[in-house]
Amino acid sequence: MLQIKLAPPGSSQKMKNSDATGAVSTLAGIDSPRKKAFMVIGINTAFSSRRRRDSIRETWMPQGEKLVRLEREKGIIIRFIIGHSATSDSILDRAIDSEDAQHKDFLRLEHVEGYHELSAKTKTYICTAVANWDAEFYVKVDDDVHVNLGKLAALLGRYRSKPMAYIGCMKSGPVLSKKSVKYHEPEYWKFGEEGNKYFRHATGQIYAISKDLANYVAANQHILHKYANEDVSLGSWFIGLEVQHLNIKSMCCGTPPDCELKAKAGNACAASFDWSCSGICRSVEKIKIVHQRCGEGDAVIWSALF
């Protein structure tokens, strides 16, 4: 507030917007009017994941004019979300710039990429998406997960009347105190005695939050604590609010034969991945098989009602 009061005349709104987002988009400036949307899907990706991105482009993510049409006709925004490297204008950043120029499907974040910075990246993604689009839902998905867009849209459409919806596959895993293990939680002591479990939260492979929750994160980003694990961090931001935790098993189906049997029964899954790999194992090769056997069909999204 002091910054706003001391700012030159006419600059207060710009400073408010900048402070509320902490990020910018290559697609729209933060001072531009926000576009209405049904849902924004941010696909979390890394500099080294070009082949994963291409495998998604070849399967469930529309390309070119179809991607533009999806936004225009269905209000569905899909972008790969990535920050920048620690070195200014590095070869990694230039590679992403080149890829974005070709496909026009990135949302660049004011965030330094790093495995241990996923909680910060998620926060920045939500703030950036809120700054650019006035959507009913904001979705985060990993780049080794298969998604059926029509099923996901129809599923989220059922919860339009629930303003504080936190949607995904809810879990409560153990708090890992040993430094040598993956997903170690340095602040394990905050969760009670050794061996305790986390509070219920959506697994990080894919989840969705409603507009009010996304706005809450954007408005309070500077005082929201980040834990070691990104999905735990998001769940912690909502634990003291009047939030509806919606446990949707269709968002965490397995790969074939699990999702294939459900698809044949007329109940295609919203998302599929392997729990053992926290995503589709060897996703670059396997996601095409998942798409063939478990995909809803490319025409479904265009006729879906939500």
Side-chain angles (χ1 to χ4, degrees):
M1 292 307 297
L2 279 173
Q3 285 180 322
I4 293 170
K5 288 178 181 178
L6 295 172
S11 66
S12 62
Q13 187 59 45
K14 183 176 181 179
M15 290 192 70
K16 286 180 183 178
N17 287 343
S18 178
D19 189 56
T21 63
V24 295
S25 167
T26 57
L27 303 166
I30 56 177
D31 294 327
S32 302
R34 294 194 303 160
K35 295 181 179 180
K36 287 280 188 180
F38 172 65
M39 67 175 170
V40 177
I41 301 175
I43 307 172
N44 184 40
T45 193
F47 289 118
S48 60
S49 298
R50 173 64 191 259
R51 293 182 66 209
R52 284 188 178 185
R53 291 190 292 274
D54 284 342
S55 69
I56 287 178
R57 291 177 179 124
E58 293 168 7
T59 54
W60 62 265
M61 181 181 179
Q63 290 296 288
E65 178 55 35
K66 287 185 177 180
L67 189 64
V68 176
R69 180 187 167 200
L70 191 67
E71 297 180 17
R72 182 177 64 248
E73 296 183 11
K74 294 295 183 177
I76 297 175
I77 315 298
I78 310 176
R79 296 289 186 272
F80 289 105
I81 54 174
I82 195 167
H84 53 83
S85 66
T87 305
S88 178
D89 194 34
S90 72
I91 189 171
L92 297 174
D93 293 303
R94 293 197 297 272
I96 294 296
D97 290 340
S98 176
E99 190 178 340
D100 191 21
Q102 178 184 356
H103 295 282
K104 296 180 173 59
D105 56 6
F106 279 90
L107 180 65
R108 299 299 298 272
L109 308 176
E110 281 299 323
H111 167 81
V112 177
E113 287 291 321
Y115 179 77
H116 297 292
E117 297 297 330
L118 290 178
S119 294
K121 184 175 182 179
T122 292
K123 188 191 293 186
T124 302
Y125 156 59
I126 293 171
C127 295
T128 307
V130 166
N132 284 280
W133 295 283
D134 180 15
E136 296 187 49
F137 296 98
Y138 298 84
V139 180
K140 178 246 152 179
V141 59
D142 288 340
D143 63 3
D144 55 357
V145 172
H146 182 269
V147 176
N148 279 321
L149 291 172
K151 182 70 175 184
L152 179 63
L155 187 156
L156 296 183
R158 301 174 198 163
Y159 303 109
R160 272 181 152 149
S161 62
K162 298 183 184 297
M164 300 285 279
Y166 176 30
I167 307 168
C169 292
M170 299 297 162
K171 66 175 184 177
S172 181
V175 181
L176 302 175
S177 58
K178 293 184 179 180
K179 291 184 179 180
S180 59
V181 300
K182 192 177 182 180
Y183 307 126
H184 163 63
E185 177 56 74
E187 297 181 271
Y188 62 89
W189 56 272
K190 287 186 177 180
F191 298 91
E193 300 299 324
E194 188 172 331
N196 276 2
K197 291 185 175 182
Y198 288 116
F199 39 76
R200 298 288 282 178
H201 61 279
T203 189
Q205 287 87 348
I206 181 172
Y207 51 72
I209 59 175
S210 60
K211 177 191 299 189
D212 285 359
L213 292 183
N215 287 335
Y216 171 82
V217 172
N220 296 283
Q221 59 170 310
H222 299 301
I223 57 172
L224 295 177
H225 185 68
K226 301 185 296 292
Y227 289 101
N229 298 302
E230 173 256 347
D231 52 358
V232 171
S233 294
L234 186 77
S236 74
W237 301 338
F238 304 146
I239 199 68
L241 307 180
E242 291 293 340
V243 171
Q244 290 184 294
H245 290 63
L246 299 167
N247 187 27
I248 309 299
K249 294 301 184 183
S250 176
M251 292 176 70
C252 56
C253 294
T255 54
D258 179 42
C259 59
E260 185 176 17
L261 292 172
K262 291 172 182 174
K264 287 180 177 178
N267 189 29
C269 294
S272 301
F273 56 88
D274 297 307
W275 282 104
S276 60
C277 297
S278 297
I280 297 175
C281 300
R282 304 186 311 279
S283 66
V284 172
E285 298 82 17
K286 194 175 177 182
I287 196 170
K288 296 176 183 179
I289 297 172
V290 176
H291 188 65
Q292 291 169 358
R293 297 184 181 179
C294 304
E296 62 190 355
D298 295 340
V300 171
I301 183 60
W302 305 108
S303 59
L305 301 175
F306 44 86

